[in-house]
Structure formats: C-alpha cells, structure tokens
Amino acid sequence: MPNSLWASIRDHGYIPDRVYICSSKKNVKGASKNKERVSALLEGYDRKVTVSIVEIPENNFVEIGNTIADIVKREKKARNEVALDITSARKAIASPALIVADKYKADHIFYLYIEDVTNANRPYMMIPMKIQHSNDFLSGGKG
C-alpha cells in the first residue's frame, strides 16, 4: 500500500488528509505495518494524517460493501475528497469497493500496476519507473 500511495502522490498530486486501511482479521498484523509506513510516508510530505485500520469480514461481500460505503458516505458528507486505492486489495474487497465508488461518487480510484513483480516489495523509488503504471480510473489519469 505505501508504494501505491507514493505513486498517487507523485503521479497524480493526491495527498490524503485521512487514510482508512481495510483489513480482514487475519491480516491485521500486516495492516499495522502498513499503517506505520503510510504515516511515515505522509510525514515526509509534512502531513500528520489520521490512519485508521478498519476490520472487514473475509468473505461477506455485502458487509464489506456496507463498511466501505459508510466510510465513503461519511467523508463525502463532510465534503472531503475521496479516493480508493485497490492496488493491494483482493477481489473480494476490490469488487464491492468499486461498486461503492461508483454509487457514492468517489473522486479517485487508484491502482498501481507493476509489470514485473520481481521487485514489487521494494520501496517505490527502487522499482524501475518504466515498469510502473499508476492509474486513476475515474480521471483517466495515468502516471
């Protein structure tokens, strides 16, 4: 997740004010590591951002969609720009997220495609830029 966030910042100029990391119960440890990484990355851009971990069920598509919808509706009601990043999401999470993004008019859907995943676990700037493709599906923007 930190790499796709970094790509969204660098390639699309999008720096969030708040981040929600949706994670199943069995992936909370990884989500906690991502929370630390996301916070550190955003501090590098002089942003103190609230990063929250939201537990979602592993295989209940309706509940996943409802949880994400609640977040999107709350943020849109507060007139905040809303972006969803589906790069690291499993299909069971990405599919409901895409439906929610359309229904509640999210502003961005980010996806970082890396042609060769050999180096995908390295920090963003250590992966050759020519094999990285940062997309914002709602704006049509590509990095």
Side-chain angles (χ1 to χ4, degrees), residues 22-29 31 54-65 67-68 88-97:
C22 294
S23 176
S24 66
K25 190 172 201 166
K26 71 180 184 182
N27 290 324
V28 167
K29 188 174 183 179
V54 177
E55 192 175 309
I56 54 173
E58 180 98 10
N59 57 1
N60 184 328
F61 303 118
V62 173
E63 194 172 331
I64 292 168
T67 301
I68 296 170
S88 61
R90 297 180 60 155
K91 289 177 188 170
I93 298 171
S95 299

Side-chain angles (χ1 to χ4, degrees), residues 97-139:
L98 291 170
I99 293 167
V100 166
D102 179 56
K103 184 174 182 178
Y104 297 105
K105 308 299 181 211
D107 300 288
H108 307 277
I109 299 173
F110 293 118
Y111 179 75
L112 177 61
Y113 172 67
I114 301 176
E115 293 174 20
D116 179 359
V117 296
T118 304
N119 298 316
N121 62 343
R122 291 183 174 183
Y124 176 69
M125 298 302 285
M126 294 181 71
I127 303 170
M129 289 296 146
K130 69 181 182 178
I131 67 166
Q132 295 190 65
H133 307 279
S134 178
N135 298 280
D136 180 351
F137 292 143
L138 292 182
S139 76

